[in-house]
């Protein structure tokens, strides 16, 4: 009984500064605590390496990370839900070009510069666009690779002609933050993958089934209460929906195609 009452740890991958992560996810941790009748402690990490060590050592009872991260921790964690963002449950990975570039086919990107919106573990901004390039017969070395700090900056680099193409989600050019600083009518989607589920939520596989189901139910019910809606707003997401392992098979297929049988980004 004492073990059952121990606090649950919620780990969130550090795509934002620690102070920002705290402000974004503390309302959600508090809401989970209240609904479960058990303390949920939000744990932040100074960088990705520290976070990933926490995942591999199974320090987190509940974890929120990207699709690539889940694929590589599925032996220890079970996905229970996924984010809904901008009112969408899934988004395609895409390659963007300027409309005045004359580029009409992915194969025309051979020898060109492509900027990706994040690191090699970014599902929508690197892995999915790389999969599109591979489908067109282009492998690493057939084009010049650049990285922007985030997906919006990748599109801005394309806009300012610092690259010939950009990788990112197919909703990127619809974002208000992007439209404020560039005319998105000047770019177009050259190619896109099938829609891919947004960021997953997972629980430790050793967690009792009843507790896991309770956490899942609370997450997918957030939009139906005032405190829940406040938690969603703070986390900058429009909802959380149910998900299972098979929902991430398309992500696995692309990851293995891009990185090889072990699917590890290098």
């Amino acid at each position: 009984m004492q073990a059952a009452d121990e606090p649950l740890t919620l780990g969130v991958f550090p795509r934002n500064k620690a102070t920002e992560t705290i402000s974004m996810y503390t309302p959600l941790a508090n809401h989970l605590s209240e609904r479960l009748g058990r303390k949920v402690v939000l744990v932040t990490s100074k960088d990705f390496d520290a976070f990933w060590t926490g995942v591999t050592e199974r320090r987190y009872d509940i974890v929120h990370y990207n699709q690539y991260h889940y694929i590589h921790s599925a032996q220890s964690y079970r996905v229970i839900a996924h984010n809904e963002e901008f009112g969408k449950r899934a988004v395609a990975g895409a390659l963007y070009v300027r409309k005045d570039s004359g580029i009409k086919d992915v194969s025309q990107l051979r020898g060109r510069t492509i900027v990706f919106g994040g690191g090699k573990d970014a599902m929508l901004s690197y892995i999915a666009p790389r999969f599109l390039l591979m489908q067109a017969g282009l492998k690493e070395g057939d084009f010049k690779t650049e990285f922007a700090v985030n997906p919006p900056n990748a599109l801005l680099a394309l806009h300012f002609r610092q690259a010939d193409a950009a990788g990112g989600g197919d909703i990127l050019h619809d974002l208000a933050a992007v439209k404020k600083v560039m005319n998105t009518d000047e770019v177009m989607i050259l190619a896109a993958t099938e829609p891919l589920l947004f960021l997953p939520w997972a629980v430790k596989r050793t967690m009792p089934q009843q507790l896991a189901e309770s956490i899942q139910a609370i997450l997918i019910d957030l939009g139906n209460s005032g405190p829940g809606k406040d938690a969603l707003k703070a986390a900058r997401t429009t909802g959380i929906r149910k998900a299972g392992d098979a929902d991430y098979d398309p992500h696995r297929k692309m990851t293995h195609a891009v990185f090889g049988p072990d699917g590890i980004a290098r």
Side-chain angles (χ1 to χ4, degrees), residues 115-119 122 124-126 146-155 166-168 172:
V115 59
F116 299 96
L124 293 172
S125 300
Y126 180 77
E146 298 287 347
F147 290 98
V149 295
N150 55 43
N153 279 19
L155 203 59
L172 198 54

Side-chain angles (χ1 to χ4, degrees), residues 3-231:
D5 291 333
E6 290 177 359
L8 297 170
T9 56
L10 167 60
V12 177
F13 75 119
R15 60 169 171 166
N16 300 293
K17 294 178 181 179
T19 52
E20 197 171 358
T21 298
I22 290 170
S23 65
M24 288 176 65
Y25 293 98
T26 294
L28 191 149
N30 291 342
H31 185 70
L32 281 169
S33 296
E34 184 175 344
R35 290 287 305 275
L36 289 171
R38 182 172 175 179
K39 183 68 174 176
V40 175
V41 179
L42 174 63
V43 179
T44 60
S45 306
K46 63 178 181 179
D47 54 34
F48 174 75
D49 288 339
F51 169 77
W52 192 244
T53 297
V55 172
T56 57
E57 294 181 356
R58 292 178 288 181
R59 296 179 194 167
Y60 312 124
D61 297 295
I62 310 165
V63 65
H64 179 48
Y65 42 14
N66 80 11
Q67 304 94 328
Y68 173 86
H69 304 150
Y70 168 66
I71 290 169
H72 288 288
S73 65
Q75 74 281 2
S76 302
Y77 287 90
R78 180 167 65 89
V79 67
I80 58 171
H82 70 90
N83 270 14
E84 172 192 279
E85 300 187 13
F86 315 108
K88 295 177 179 286
R89 300 189 180 196
V91 63
L95 285 165
Y96 291 85
V97 295
R98 287 184 58 89
K99 288 181 179 177
D100 61 8
S101 66
I103 299 172
K104 304 296 182 184
D105 189 86
V106 177
S107 61
Q108 292 177 264
L109 295 177
R110 186 179 300 274
R112 309 262 191 163
T113 298
I114 304 173
V115 59
F116 299 96
K120 289 189 174 182
D121 63 348
M123 191 74 227
L124 293 172
S125 300
Y126 180 77
I127 298 172
R130 273 292 313 275
F131 181 74
L132 291 169
L133 290 162
M134 290 184 70
Q135 287 187 310
L138 300 182
K139 59 184 183 301
E140 193 167 11
D142 290 337
F143 49 88
K144 299 172 185 176
T145 298
E146 298 287 347
F147 290 98
V149 295
N150 55 43
N153 279 19
L155 203 59
L156 285 174
L158 173 64
H159 171 69
F160 290 115
R161 304 180 190 276
Q162 296 168 353
D164 300 293
D170 69 350
I171 60 170
L172 198 54
H173 60 327
D174 292 326
L175 299 183
V178 173
K179 287 179 175 290
K180 283 182 181 179
V181 293
M182 65 173 279
N183 180 5
T184 55
D185 290 335
E186 295 178 356
V187 300
M188 68 178 189
I189 293 176
L190 181 66
T193 67
E194 63 183 287
L196 300 167
L197 282 192
F198 273 114
L199 305 178
W201 292 82
V203 295
K204 205 182 295 185
R205 283 194 174 273
T206 54
M207 179 179 288
Q209 182 71 16
Q210 185 175 356
L211 177 57
E213 290 177 355
S214 295
I215 292 169
Q216 181 185 57
I218 293 166
L219 290 176
I220 63 179
D221 190 53
L222 287 173
N224 295 321
S225 71
K229 290 177 181 177
D230 290 342

